Amino acid sequence: MKKWICIICGYIYDEAVGMPDHGIAAGTRFESLPDDWTCPECGSPKESFELYVG
């Protein structure tokens, strides 16, 4: 499982956790999120995320 960070606001999407409050189950890979998915914090598009290494 990987983590992805929004380069605009710093929100981290953790594939292992998902976003259960938003209907995204734990274990959902970033690549599997819909193309129109946006950052829940700032509304930036999926393209604004990079692989998080930390």
Side-chain angles (χ1 to χ4, degrees):
M1 299 269 91
K2 299 175 184 171
K3 294 181 182 179
W4 298 81
I5 187 166
C6 176
I7 59 172
I8 306 300
C9 73
Y11 173 80
I12 296 176
Y13 174 74
D14 185 342
E15 294 178 341
V17 176
M19 295 174 58
D21 293 346
H22 294 9
I24 300 172
T28 301
R29 301 224 178 255
F30 186 78
E31 294 85 0
S32 298
L33 295 173
D35 289 338
D36 63 350
W37 181 83
T38 59
C39 177
E41 294 292 319
C42 73
S44 293
K46 195 173 171 182
E47 294 80 30
S48 297
F49 280 73
E50 293 180 349
L51 186 60
Y52 177 73
V53 181

